[in-house]
Amino acid sequence: MVFNEEQRKTIACSMRQLDVLQPEYDACYDQYEASKTKFYWSLYICGGLIVMLIFKSYDVQSAIGTLGVAALPTIIIWLGVLFYKARNAYHQKISEQWETSKPLREIGLSYTAKSKHFNEPFLTVLETREELDINGFK
Protein backbone atom coordinates (compact mmCIF):
# COMPACT_ATOMS: atom_id res chain seq x y z
CA MET A 1 0.00 0.00 0.00
CA VAL A 2 1.08 3.55 -0.68
CA PHE A 3 0.48 6.22 1.96
CA ASN A 4 0.75 9.98 1.64
CA GLU A 5 2.68 12.06 4.18
CA GLU A 6 -0.39 12.91 6.26
CA GLN A 7 -1.36 9.23 6.53
CA ARG A 8 2.20 8.32 7.53
CA LYS A 9 2.08 10.90 10.34
CA THR A 10 -1.29 9.57 11.49
CA ILE A 11 0.00 6.00 11.48
CA ALA A 12 3.16 6.90 13.41
CA CYS A 13 1.23 8.97 15.97
CA SER A 14 -1.37 6.23 16.54
CA MET A 15 1.34 3.60 16.90
CA ARG A 16 3.15 5.69 19.53
CA GLN A 17 -0.07 6.28 21.46
CA LEU A 18 -0.97 2.58 21.40
CA ASP A 19 2.56 1.66 22.53
CA VAL A 20 2.12 3.98 25.53
CA LEU A 21 -1.32 2.57 26.38
CA GLN A 22 -0.27 -1.09 26.15
CA PRO A 23 1.49 -1.40 29.57
CA GLU A 24 -1.52 0.22 31.27
CA TYR A 25 -3.82 -2.17 29.42
CA ASP A 26 -1.71 -5.18 30.47
CA ALA A 27 -1.77 -4.05 34.12
CA CYS A 28 -5.58 -3.61 34.06
CA TYR A 29 -5.97 -7.00 32.44
CA ASP A 30 -3.84 -8.63 35.17
CA GLN A 31 -5.88 -6.93 37.90
CA TYR A 32 -9.10 -8.02 36.21
CA GLU A 33 -7.99 -11.65 35.95
CA ALA A 34 -6.75 -11.72 39.56
CA SER A 35 -9.96 -10.21 40.92
CA LYS A 36 -12.07 -12.55 38.81
CA THR A 37 -10.20 -15.57 40.19
CA LYS A 38 -10.54 -14.37 43.79
CA PHE A 39 -14.24 -13.67 43.35
CA TYR A 40 -14.99 -17.06 41.80
CA TRP A 41 -13.02 -18.88 44.51
CA SER A 42 -14.87 -16.93 47.19
CA LEU A 43 -18.18 -17.91 45.59
CA TYR A 44 -17.09 -21.52 45.53
CA ILE A 45 -15.80 -21.70 49.11
CA CYS A 46 -18.07 -19.24 50.91
CA GLY A 47 -21.07 -20.26 48.83
CA GLY A 48 -20.52 -23.88 49.77
CA LEU A 49 -20.30 -22.98 53.44
CA ILE A 50 -23.44 -20.87 53.20
CA VAL A 51 -25.30 -23.78 51.57
CA MET A 52 -24.16 -26.03 54.42
CA LEU A 53 -25.41 -23.47 56.93
CA ILE A 54 -28.76 -23.25 55.21
CA PHE A 55 -29.19 -27.00 55.61
CA LYS A 56 -28.39 -26.61 59.33
CA SER A 57 -25.01 -28.28 59.41
CA TYR A 58 -24.18 -27.58 63.05
CA ASP A 59 -20.64 -28.90 62.62
CA VAL A 60 -19.89 -26.16 60.10
CA GLN A 61 -21.70 -23.55 62.19
CA SER A 62 -19.73 -24.41 65.33
CA ALA A 63 -16.45 -24.58 63.40
CA ILE A 64 -16.66 -21.11 61.89
CA GLY A 65 -18.64 -19.43 64.67
CA THR A 66 -21.17 -16.65 64.63
CA LEU A 67 -18.68 -14.08 63.38
CA GLY A 68 -17.71 -16.39 60.53
CA VAL A 69 -21.34 -16.86 59.54
CA ALA A 70 -21.73 -13.08 59.22
CA ALA A 71 -18.40 -12.71 57.44
CA LEU A 72 -19.13 -15.11 54.57
CA PRO A 73 -21.61 -12.89 52.68
CA THR A 74 -19.46 -9.85 53.47
CA ILE A 75 -16.42 -11.51 51.88
CA ILE A 76 -18.40 -12.44 48.78
CA ILE A 77 -19.83 -8.92 48.42
CA TRP A 78 -16.45 -7.23 49.00
CA LEU A 79 -14.65 -9.42 46.43
CA GLY A 80 -17.58 -8.92 44.06
CA VAL A 81 -17.19 -5.14 44.31
CA LEU A 82 -13.43 -5.43 43.67
CA PHE A 83 -14.15 -7.64 40.66
CA TYR A 84 -16.69 -5.12 39.33
CA LYS A 85 -14.25 -2.20 39.72
CA ALA A 86 -11.41 -4.12 38.02
CA ARG A 87 -13.76 -5.13 35.21
CA ASN A 88 -14.82 -1.52 34.64
CA ALA A 89 -11.19 -0.32 34.61
CA TYR A 90 -10.30 -3.05 32.12
CA HIS A 91 -13.20 -2.14 29.84
CA GLN A 92 -12.24 1.53 30.09
CA LYS A 93 -8.73 0.68 28.82
CA ILE A 94 -10.25 -1.35 25.98
CA SER A 95 -12.34 1.70 25.04
CA GLU A 96 -9.28 3.95 25.14
CA GLN A 97 -7.38 1.60 22.84
CA TRP A 98 -10.37 1.40 20.51
CA GLU A 99 -10.62 5.18 20.27
CA THR A 100 -6.86 5.57 19.83
CA SER A 101 -6.81 3.04 16.99
CA LYS A 102 -9.76 4.67 15.19
CA PRO A 103 -7.56 6.75 12.80
CA LEU A 104 -5.74 3.56 11.79
CA ARG A 105 -9.00 1.75 11.08
CA GLU A 106 -10.13 4.67 8.92
CA ILE A 107 -7.00 4.15 6.81
CA GLY A 108 -7.67 0.41 6.74
CA LEU A 109 -4.95 -0.70 9.16
CA SER A 110 -4.72 -2.48 12.48
CA TYR A 111 -1.85 -2.19 14.96
CA THR A 112 -1.03 -4.62 17.77
CA ALA A 113 1.55 -3.23 20.17
CA LYS A 114 4.28 -5.28 21.80
CA SER A 115 2.90 -6.69 25.03
CA LYS A 116 3.28 -9.59 27.38
CA HIS A 117 1.30 -11.69 24.91
CA PHE A 118 3.05 -10.54 21.72
CA ASN A 119 6.83 -10.36 21.37
CA GLU A 120 6.69 -8.15 18.29
CA PRO A 121 4.34 -5.35 17.25
CA PHE A 122 2.23 -5.90 14.14
CA LEU A 123 0.87 -3.45 11.60
CA THR A 124 -1.66 -5.20 9.40
CA VAL A 125 -3.86 -4.24 6.47
CA LEU A 126 -7.40 -5.11 7.56
CA GLU A 127 -8.75 -6.11 4.17
CA THR A 128 -5.95 -8.44 3.03
CA ARG A 129 -4.34 -9.38 6.40
CA GLU A 130 -1.01 -8.34 4.87
CA GLU A 131 1.61 -7.40 7.44
CA LEU A 132 3.42 -4.11 6.82
CA ASP A 133 6.94 -3.16 7.87
CA ILE A 134 6.68 -1.01 10.98
CA ASN A 135 10.09 0.56 10.52
CA GLY A 136 8.81 2.52 7.55
CA PHE A 137 6.51 4.52 9.84
CA LYS A 138 8.65 5.23 12.91
Side-chain angles (χ1 to χ4, degrees):
M1 289 182 78
V2 178
F3 301 103
N4 63 32
E5 192 60 34
E6 186 64 33
Q7 289 174 326
R8 286 186 172 282
K9 287 180 184 178
T10 301
I11 294 168
C13 180
S14 294
M15 286 172 41
R16 279 192 303 274
Q17 289 174 342
L18 288 168
D19 285 338
V20 169
L21 282 176
Q22 189 62 45
E24 296 172 16
Y25 173 80
D26 285 341
C28 280
Y29 178 77
D30 290 341
Q31 288 175 343
Y32 169 66
E33 284 297 316
S35 68
K36 182 169 67 171
T37 302
K38 290 175 189 173
F39 179 63
Y40 289 155
W41 274 109
S42 74
L43 283 178
Y44 179 71
I45 294 169
C46 295
L49 291 173
I50 290 171
V51 167
M52 286 184 205
L53 291 172
I54 289 172
F55 291 111
K56 305 285 188 211
S57 177
Y58 295 107
D59 296 335
V60 173
Q61 222 168 11
S62 64
I64 64 175
T66 305
L67 185 60
V69 170
L72 293 176
T74 307
I75 291 170
I76 291 174
I77 291 169
W78 180 68
L79 289 173
V81 168
L82 289 179
F83 169 64
Y84 180 75
K85 286 182 178 182
R87 181 184 156 277
N88 284 347
Y90 172 62
H91 285 279
Q92 179 64 37
K93 289 299 174 187
I94 290 173
S95 297
E96 285 178 29
Q97 280 192 321
W98 182 257
E99 286 300 316
T100 303
S101 66
K102 190 175 182 179
L104 287 175
R105 287 191 313 278
E106 290 172 354
I107 298 172
L109 300 175
S110 171
Y111 179 70
T112 304
K114 182 179 177 180
S115 68
K116 68 179 194 171
H117 299 290
F118 296 104
N119 294 331
E120 298 292 326
F122 298 100
L123 183 63
T124 310
V125 178
L126 290 174
E127 197 170 288
T128 63
R129 302 281 186 214
E130 173 190 356
E131 191 175 324
L132 300 176
D133 182 25
I134 295 173
N135 295 325
F137 299 100
K138 293 218 173 195

